[in-house]
Amino acid sequence: MQKLVTMIGEERAALDPVNTFVEIDQVEGKEVVRVTKDPKVEAVDEPTFAKLIGSDFKNGIIEVTVLSKLLENAPDFARGFIGVAFRIDESNSKFEGIYIRPTNGRADDQLRRNRSTQYFSYP
C-alpha cells in the first residue's frame, strides 16, 4: 500500500492508505481518488480508509462527494459503507467517523432506511 500525493481542492495533499489501496481515477470525466479495501482484510470491523497526512486541520467543515459499490464477495449483511473518518490517532487505532449506507437508503424496510447515515467512534 503506497501513499498517494494529489490535489484536494487547491491544496496539495498526501493520502496514506490504511488497509486500502489509493489511486487517481476518472469518473464521469472528473479526476477522483479511488480508495479500495485491501482484499486481505477479512474481518468485518477493521479500519479501512485513506488518511490525509500533513494537514493541520482541527475543526471545521469537511465536504466530500462519494461513490460506493458493494464488493462482489460482500456477505448479505454487508450493506455498503462509505464515509469520512476523522480525529484519527497516530496508530490508526482510534477515530471517529460518519458514513452512509447507500443500499439502506433505497431499502423497502423502514428500519434499514433509518440506518442510512450513521456516526461512530472506533473502537
Side-chain angles (χ1 to χ4, degrees):
M1 290 175 249
Q2 203 169 25
K3 290 181 184 171
L4 172 76
V5 178
T6 187
M7 298 298 287
I8 296 181
E10 296 181 15
E11 299 287 324
R12 189 171 166 86
L15 297 170
D16 188 15
V18 177
N19 295 321
T20 61
F21 297 99
V22 293
E23 63 183 324
I24 299 298
D25 201 351
Q26 291 279 323
V27 174
E28 297 180 359
K30 294 182 182 180
E31 188 174 277
V32 299
V33 175
R34 179 184 297 266
V35 180
T36 307
K37 179 180 169 184
D38 186 336
K40 293 178 184 173
V41 176
E42 294 182 2
V44 175
D45 198 16
E46 288 295 312
T48 53
F49 51 79
K51 181 178 182 179
L52 177 63
I53 54 177
S55 172
D56 61 357
F57 181 82
K58 298 292 183 209
N59 292 305
I61 296 171
I62 300 171
E63 191 173 314
V64 297
T65 301
V66 297
L67 172 66
S68 172
K69 294 181 183 176
L70 289 178
L71 296 173
E72 289 179 14
N73 62 347
D76 290 341
F77 61 84
R79 307 279 200 267
F81 297 80
I82 188 164
V84 176
F86 49 94
R87 296 189 178 112
I88 304 168
D89 72 351
E90 291 297 318
S91 65
N92 300 324
S93 63
K94 295 179 183 176
F95 55 91
E96 295 175 69
I98 187 164
Y99 61 87
I100 58 174
R101 297 164 117 180
T103 61
N104 277 10
R106 297 177 189 95
D108 292 332
D109 178 18
Q110 182 63 52
L111 184 59
R112 279 188 56 199
R113 282 197 315 274
N114 290 349
R115 295 186 174 118
S116 296
T117 304
Q118 293 181 274
Y119 162 85
F120 70 100
S121 179
Y122 185 89

